[in-house]
């Protein structure tokens, strides 16, 4: 019997950030990246049509603010993790019901700790 994999999506207008987050997700066997998006409008339209996402990793400073994306997608996502290089947005991130706020550059140990805390049990990584 296969173990549950938590479905993840990334929305970030920086391809390097998407690559880093994709690599981190791949390092945790219980996580599965279902899609990544450079364009937040495309992300909103596609995520709303899918089965509920477990983790949404979301940048804030994009052509459509990640804060607005979070409000639109809140009912389609179990956990919203803002991943941004702008600490001044932390308060706003929690005001739109973000579950966590991670600052770039993000290291794997902080990523793993935050995901573990969200689901309430340790995840195994392949490191």
């Amino acid at each position: 019997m296969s173990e549950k994999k938590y479905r993840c999506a990334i929305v970030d207008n920086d391809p390097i950030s998407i690559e880093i987050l994709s690599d981190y997700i791949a390092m945790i066997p219980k996580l599965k990246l279902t899609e990544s998006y450079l364009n937040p409008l495309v992300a909103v339209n596609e995520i709303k049509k899918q089965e509920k996402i477990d983790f949404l990793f979301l940048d804030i400073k994009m052509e459509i603010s990640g804060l607005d994306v979070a409000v639109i997608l809140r009912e389609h996502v179990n956990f919203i993790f803002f991943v941004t290089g702008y600490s001044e947005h932390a308060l706003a991130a929690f005001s739109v019901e973000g579950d966590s706020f991670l600052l770039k550059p993000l290291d794997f140990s902080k990523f793993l700790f935050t995901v573990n805390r969200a689901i309430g049990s340790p995840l195994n990584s392949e490191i």
Side-chain angles (χ1 to χ4, degrees), residues 26-77:
M27 294 166 69
I28 303 173
K30 285 188 178 182
L31 298 184
K32 175 187 177 190
L33 181 61
T34 59
E35 193 64 62
S36 60
Y37 304 92
L38 288 166
N39 182 318
L41 185 58
V42 171
V44 166
N45 289 330
E46 289 190 14
I47 291 172
K48 286 172 79 174
K49 296 176 192 173
Q50 298 175 17
E51 175 184 338
K52 195 169 193 174
I53 297 289
D54 293 303
F55 291 98
L56 177 61
F57 299 96
L58 182 59
D59 192 15
I60 291 179
K61 282 209 168 191
M62 299 181 288
E63 47 279 1
I64 299 171
S65 170
L67 299 169
D68 293 333
V69 172
V71 170
I72 294 166
L73 292 179
R74 181 71 259 188
E75 67 186 48
H76 302 278
V77 176

